[in-house]
Amino acid sequence: MSAGDADLREAFASAHFDEGMTLDRFIFETTRARPEATGQFATLLQQVSLAARMVSSRVNRAGLAGMLGRTGEVNVQGELVMKLDEYANDTFKKALEHPGVVAAVASEEDEDLFLPPARFRSGRYVFCMDPLDGSSNIDVNATIGTIFAIFRRKSEEGTVATMDDVLRPGTDLVAAGYVIYGSGTVLVISTGDGVHGFTLDPVVGEFFLSHPDLRLKPSAKLYSVNEGYAASWDPRIRAWVESRKAPGMGWKQRYIGSLVADFHRNLVKGGVFLYPATDSSPQGKLRVLYEAFPLAFLVEAAGGAATDGRRRILDITPKGLHDRTPLFIGNKVQVDEITAALAAPAGTAG
Ligand code: AHM
Ligand code: MG
């Protein structure tokens, strides 16, 4: 981490919160303290906020369009799902490239790295995103979201970014966050020290601080996993999950099937999310760069933990933009327990 990144982290950590704090003001107050700041990071966050509001507005109307589609002759709904994915992808990329704040964007929707045209190439940040996570939930109006992680580029500013700017350990991240489009739209962000949530007032069109300094307790009795795949999990994972259900344990299970929504609930209320390797996804299903990294960054900043069952997620160095990983993320006690269970000899599973 550079001295500038450390300043940024400190400024966010010491931010003063009061009622009516908008995301814009929060960005301004926490970045102006940095003597070397060029304003790029502040602009980047403002553009994320803009894109999030645009996508939120579109997602809110998707239900209505879907309803009309069901009554019409053409199945608009399936098309709309595609369009929303693409819309979110294009909206975030355009919002970020125009002010010249990103050198590259890695997106779940794009096979290759997106490089802004030469006239916008002054950006010093690399943005990794899943523009619309959980998009299979759009047609049932369940919560979906955008997940993002931000690196500062390694290569010289003004040059064309390379894969080395992106394929690096999660410990290099300078910020991460997500936006959920649910019953409300909430943007959660961290620069590594303190995790803050802002809720969109759709009438005013502004994000207001609603969840200052989200912290995870060491332990919680809630797990989120797709148990339909239990037969193909490692037996030690199966044993850990089964042991939650023993009489008197008092555990709850919740699973939406939209990572960003499951994670948000667990971050606010406590809980551990598991997506282990399965027979059909031996490397796990979730992507390192734009799903596991940002959420691991946030969870650690909130006092929790994230591993792939063996090692800390943020210590992984991906080899490709779309690498996958098993993911165990949430309250530290539970993540440590699962990781320890996987370290034990396979035959010892209860
Ligand atoms: P997506 O990025 O294509 O939407 O897929 C990822 C989603 C996650 O949001 C969610 O946690 C997971 O897939 C659910 O998978 P499954 O249906 O196998 O439980
Ligand atoms: Mg996703």
Side-chain angles (χ1 to χ4, degrees), residues 106-179:
S107 166
E108 184 193 318
E109 291 291 316
D110 299 327
E111 197 175 334
D112 300 320
L113 200 57
F114 168 78
L115 299 167
R119 64 188 188 284
F120 298 132
R121 208 166 281 157
S122 52
R124 46 156 87 151
Y125 294 97
V126 172
F127 195 79
C128 307
M129 66 170 170
D130 180 349
L132 214 52
D133 177 60
S135 51
S136 62
N137 285 308
I138 291 171
D139 52 356
V140 293
N141 281 63
T143 300
I144 50 180
T146 301
I147 312 176
F148 60 90
I150 303 168
F151 290 110
R152 189 192 288 263
R153 70 182 300 176
K154 287 203 289 197
S155 52
E156 202 181 319
E157 283 171 40
T159 62
V160 180
T162 69
M163 291 296 264
D164 286 347
D165 287 312
V166 192
L167 301 180
R168 34 206 291 214
T171 46
D172 280 0
L173 287 173
V174 295
Y178 61 83
V179 188

Side-chain angles (χ1 to χ4, degrees), residues 85 108-109 130 132-137 147 225-226 229 255-262 273 275 285-287 290-291:
D85 274 345
E108 184 193 318
E109 291 291 316
D130 180 349
L132 214 52
D133 177 60
S135 51
S136 62
N137 285 308
I147 312 176
V225 70
N226 187 339
Y229 304 140
Y255 190 74
I256 296 168
S258 172
L259 171 66
V260 67
D262 278 309
F273 175 95
Y275 205 113
K285 178 181 181 187
L286 301 170
R287 272 57 57 105
Y290 42 80
E291 293 180 321

Side-chain angles (χ1 to χ4, degrees), residues 214-218 298-305 330-332:
L214 283 161
R215 302 286 309 166
L216 272 169
K217 291 187 182 137
L298 290 164
V299 91
E300 288 198 6
N331 298 79
K332 192 161 179 353

